Amino acid sequence: MGSDRQVTLVITTCNRPDYLEECLASVRQQTRMGFRLVVLDNASVADYSGVLDRFRELPMSYVRNETNLGAAGNIGKAMRCYSDSKYLVVFHDDDMMDPRMLEWQFDVLESDPEIQFVSTELAVFDDGDAPPREVWENLSPEVEVYDDTSDLARSLLGGRVLCFGSTMYRSSVLKRIELDLPRFSIIWDRPFLLDAARLGKSALIRAPLVLYRLHPGQDTNTGPLSAKNLIELMRAYRAALPAHWSRADQQLFYSHASNFLVYYGYAHLAPEERIGAAPFIRKCVRNKVLRFSDIRLSGLATLMRADIKDALPSVLIDAARAVKRWLTPRSRRGEGV
């Protein structure tokens, strides 16, 4: 494998030896070798010995936590404890990497010392389906570089697909930023990258170099999430944009915020965290991450459907009209919806 240790690859895992086996098989195919590999087990009760034995030729260390730190806590430990090499990747056990991923990312970071991290795009597949490895055929590493955190924020708000788990960091960056779980909970990854992008340039390889598995045990499906977390995420995006923002930035921000908060975020809260459609909208508006003018009847119906799962669509629309009238300031009620 060679003695080059400029790259450390940490794979976080917990009770998923079958997934880890597929992940390690993709690691074994990497065209850039010589990296240090750490499997960081988050206090699993599952037996990993068979899987680890099948990959003895890899430069691998197996470390098992004595207690479960939570998924984000385990990623945080990887960033704190293994950032002694020049570059660090913290990969997830349920995903697989293109054979050229580490090589291409390394080349991007080596080409420009101002680039703080480089991520890649992803291809999604459902657990139980065959991973779509055909997407890796005939790829070329087209690189998109963001000059500052505002550029990165605009890209993410505009819908650019970025796989957080693919990211290769310049390790010096990880000593200067922190993972803020109390503020963001399970949606901490984008704010973390925005913070890193404040330190210099960032980059995205426009190719699906990660096969991203969808399954019920994913952290984003199992972790706690509150209305405050949703609002704080949008506040982080707003803080990444210029203080005196342009009309284009406003349009981009509020378009993304209304779609995310109304059509996605609220429905993903646990039932006990859903504070009701009207209070949620008012809270978002007070925090300046949503505007009354961006709220449509279909959006109100979506929010209320999350609260009343078995309500008929027509009933929801009628209720949404009533809520809209109640929320709209008196001076604007004659302007139409």
Side-chain angles (χ1 to χ4, degrees):
M1 294 298 173
S3 59
D4 180 9
R5 290 292 183 269
Q6 295 190 78
V7 177
T8 295
L9 169 62
V10 180
I11 301 176
T12 56
T13 187
C14 184
N15 289 320
R16 300 194 292 221
D18 292 343
Y19 289 169
L20 180 66
E21 182 167 7
E22 291 184 272
C23 180
L24 289 175
S26 73
V27 172
R28 184 163 55 190
Q29 298 299 315
Q30 289 302 295
T31 54
R32 176 180 177 80
M33 300 303 291
F35 51 83
R36 176 177 62 171
L37 173 62
V38 179
V39 173
L40 187 55
D41 181 355
N42 201 13
S44 294
V45 296
D47 181 10
Y48 278 81
S49 59
V51 173
L52 299 174
D53 284 345
R54 285 189 281 278
F55 295 92
R56 286 181 181 176
E57 77 277 16
L58 290 174
M60 180 168 53
S61 300
Y62 172 72
V63 178
R64 183 181 181 279
N65 298 333
E66 292 185 3
T67 59
N68 190 301
L69 306 176
N74 205 30
I75 293 172
K77 177 179 177 177
M79 291 176 173
R80 290 192 309 273
C81 298
Y82 299 101
S83 58
D84 52 343
S85 56
K86 190 174 183 180
Y87 304 122
L88 175 67
V89 180
V90 182
F91 202 71
H92 303 160
D93 65 348
D94 47 354
D95 300 330
M96 287 157 272
M97 60 179 68
D98 179 282
R100 299 150 293 187
M101 191 185 92
L102 297 182
E103 178 186 356
W104 286 351
Q105 290 180 308
F106 180 86
D107 289 345
V108 169
L109 292 176
E110 287 285 288
S111 70
D112 186 346
E114 292 187 17
I115 296 178
Q116 308 302 303
F117 66 85
V118 55
S119 304
T120 81
E121 295 181 334
L122 55 84
V124 174
F125 71 102
D126 290 322
D127 194 23
D129 292 346
R133 290 185 172 86
E134 63 274 9
V135 302
W136 289 343
E137 298 174 2
N138 303 315
L139 290 180
S140 58
E142 177 187 348
V143 180
E144 194 167 272
V145 177
Y146 308 112
D147 289 334
D148 53 33
T149 192
S150 294
D151 277 353
L152 176 61
R154 293 185 185 103
S155 179
L156 296 175
L157 289 169
R160 180 70 75 219
V161 176
L162 179 154
C163 179
F164 175 76
S166 72
T167 307
M168 180 180 286
Y169 302 91
R170 199 173 294 276
S171 294
S172 57
V173 172
L174 300 175
K175 298 178 175 63
R176 302 174 61 186
I177 59 176
E178 294 184 0
L179 185 162
D180 195 345
L181 275 181
R183 184 179 177 191
F184 300 109
S185 188
I186 59 174
I187 50 175
W188 61 272
D189 54 349
R190 268 34 181 187
F192 187 81
L193 293 181
L194 291 171
D195 279 348
R198 297 180 193 280
L199 304 176
K201 298 178 183 177
S202 55
L204 174 68
I205 297 177
R206 295 288 314 281
L209 301 187
V210 173
L211 300 183
Y212 185 89
R213 188 194 312 264
L214 296 177
H215 60 94
Q218 284 176 293
D219 306 329
T220 50
N221 294 330
T222 59
L225 189 65
S226 69
K228 181 180 179 182
N229 297 145
L230 299 177
I231 291 169
E232 288 301 316
L233 173 61
M234 295 314 306
R235 290 183 65 187
Y237 275 120
R238 175 62 188 94
L241 295 170
H244 302 289
W245 57 358
S246 65
R247 180 178 291 273
D249 280 345
Q250 290 185 46
Q251 178 72 22
L252 181 65
F253 174 81
Y254 283 118
S255 175
H256 177 89
S258 60
N259 284 325
F260 173 73
L261 293 169
V262 173
Y263 292 98
Y264 175 83
Y266 188 75
H268 281 74
L269 298 178
E272 63 271 16
E273 292 290 346
R274 295 189 200 121
I275 59 179
F280 178 71
I281 291 171
R282 285 190 175 278
K283 193 169 186 177
C284 291
V285 171
R286 282 199 304 270
N287 281 275
K288 300 181 180 179
V289 297
L290 195 64
R291 299 178 301 194
F292 283 116
S293 58
D294 295 323
I295 303 168
R296 300 292 180 261
L297 292 177
S298 61
L300 284 172
T302 299
L303 290 172
M304 297 172 70
R305 190 177 293 116
D307 290 326
I308 314 170
K309 293 287 188 180
D310 57 350
L312 296 174
S314 59
V315 174
L316 288 172
I317 291 295
D318 290 342
R321 290 183 187 277
V323 172
K324 180 76 171 182
R325 286 195 297 271
W326 179 64
L327 287 170
T328 304
R330 289 182 179 276
S331 61
R332 297 182 51 201
R333 287 185 180 176
E335 299 176 16
V337 175

